[in-house]
């Protein structure tokens, strides 16, 4: 009888793979649980930690001046009316501003009537917010004012209640206006280009900035501001109220 060899067990290759896979799953679960515990601990620690105080630094707005902070110059060539008039109207304008031109045509004549009666003083200030052409016109108007022709020159620049285009505010065009109203041309040319005139124009423009007149026209009637080309009745009512209160 032939000798039978002992049966050799069949190799189960999938068993060690199963064991390895199970071990990997177990390791991953342990790592995941440790990570969650670590996150929870960090969140608890962050919650227990006191939040830093927030420091807020208050910055005050620049101090805006009041019209009373500026001295009244009795010899101001751009002012009309007695220095001790019961009411003062400061006008911040620009020679390229259409609303300034409209107000000059519609309301200024009535205001000058109060000037003639001694009840109002008008102080004209060019702020030149429209640029270099406006500044050149302001210098020319100041030079005309030095010859007591401010309003005549002013009316020419705002003829018809409209401003001139920048090309008509050149030194040559402004010199032509000065000639039309009969100014001493040598003196006008000298004054228009002088350092004194440049300083005066710059001073008036800075006054507008310091008083908050960032748009034109802006008015200060005594201490009360008015912005925009308000109807004539607004100014008449305000002046009459001031005069009544003064009396």
């Amino acid at each position: 009888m032939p000798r039978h060899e002992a049966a050799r067990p069949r190799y189960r290759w999938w068993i060690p793979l199963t064991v390895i896979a199970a071990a990997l799953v177990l390791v991953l679960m342990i790592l995941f649980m440790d990570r969650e515990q670590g996150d929870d601990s960090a969140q608890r620690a962050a919650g227990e930690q006191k939040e830093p105080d927030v420091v807020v630094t208050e910055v005050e707005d620049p101090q805006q001046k009041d019209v009373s902070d500026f001295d009244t110059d009795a010899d101001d060539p751009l002012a009309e009316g007695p220095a001790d008039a019961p009411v003062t109207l400061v006008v911040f304008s620009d020679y390229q501003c259409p609303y300034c031109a409209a107000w000059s045509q519609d309301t200024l004549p009535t205001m000058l009537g109060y000037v003639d009666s001694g009840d109002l003083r008008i102080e004209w200030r060019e702020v030149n917010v429209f640029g270099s052409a406006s500044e050149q016109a302001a210098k020319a108007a100041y030079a005309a004012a030095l010859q007591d022709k401010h309003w005549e020159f002013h009316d020419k620049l705002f003829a018809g209640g409209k401003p001139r285009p920048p090309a008509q505010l050149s030194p040559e065009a402004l010199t032509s206006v000065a000639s039309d109203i009969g100014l001493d041309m040598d003196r006008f040319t000298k004054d228009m280009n002088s350092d004194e005139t440049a300083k005066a124009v710059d001073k008036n423009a800075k006054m507008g900035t310091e008083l908050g007149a960032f748009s034109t026209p802006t008015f200060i009637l005594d201490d009360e501001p008015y912005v925009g080309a308000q109807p004539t009745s607004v100014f008449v009512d305000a002046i009459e109220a001031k005069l009544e209160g003064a009396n």
Side-chain angles (χ1 to χ4, degrees):
M1 180 176 177
R3 190 178 62 178
H4 296 284
E5 294 181 358
R8 198 167 56 177
R10 195 177 288 180
Y11 183 74
R12 310 283 186 180
W13 58 270
W14 51 270
I15 294 177
L17 290 178
T18 302
V19 173
I20 293 172
L24 287 174
V25 172
L26 180 62
V27 170
L28 291 174
M29 290 179 62
I30 293 172
L31 290 174
F32 183 77
M33 292 175 64
D34 288 343
R35 182 177 178 180
E36 283 190 332
Q37 291 176 355
D39 291 343
D40 291 341
S41 299
Q43 290 178 359
R44 287 194 299 271
E48 293 172 358
Q49 185 177 3
K50 184 180 179 181
E51 294 183 359
D53 295 333
V54 178
V55 179
V56 178
T57 301
E58 295 184 358
V59 179
E60 295 184 358
D61 293 333
Q63 183 66 37
Q64 185 170 304
K65 291 188 177 182
D66 185 83
V67 69
S68 61
D69 294 329
F70 296 88
D71 295 332
T72 297
D73 182 3
D75 298 324
D76 180 3
L78 297 180
E80 190 79 20
D84 60 350
V87 184
T88 298
L89 177 65
V90 183
V91 182
F92 296 97
S93 180
D94 188 298
Y95 277 118
Q96 293 188 80
C97 166
Y99 302 105
C100 302
W103 187 88
S104 291
Q105 182 182 50
D106 298 339
T107 305
L108 181 58
T110 302
M111 299 296 99
L112 290 175
Y114 283 102
V115 169
D116 293 339
S117 65
D119 293 323
L120 179 68
R121 175 180 174 85
I122 298 177
E123 297 180 356
W124 204 269
R125 302 288 178 257
E126 300 296 337
V127 291
N128 309 319
V129 294
F130 285 84
S132 59
S134 298
E135 183 177 353
Q136 183 63 56
K139 291 178 180 178
Y142 191 88
L146 292 176
Q147 296 189 44
D148 298 325
K149 293 283 188 176
H150 175 232
W151 295 121
E152 290 88 339
F153 196 89
H154 176 89
D155 290 343
K156 285 284 188 179
L157 297 190
F158 278 161
K162 296 180 181 180
R164 291 182 164 211
Q168 294 185 26
L169 296 177
S170 66
E172 295 77 15
L174 295 166
T175 299
S176 178
V177 173
S179 177
D180 290 343
I181 63 174
L183 294 180
D184 180 328
M185 296 310 299
D186 290 337
R187 181 182 175 187
F188 173 81
T189 302
K190 179 181 178 181
D191 288 338
M192 182 174 65
N193 297 305
S194 70
D195 291 339
E196 291 77 9
T197 294
K199 290 177 182 178
V201 169
D202 184 61
K203 180 181 178 181
N204 289 339
K206 286 183 177 179
M207 178 183 180
T209 300
E210 292 174 351
L211 290 174
F214 301 115
S215 62
T216 54
T218 294
F219 310 88
I220 299 181
L221 185 63
D222 283 352
D223 293 328
E224 297 182 17
Y226 296 82
V227 179
Q230 304 286 339
T232 303
S233 60
V234 171
F235 295 92
V236 170
D237 292 345
I239 292 173
E240 291 293 343
K242 295 282 186 181
L243 294 175
E244 184 178 351
N247 294 331

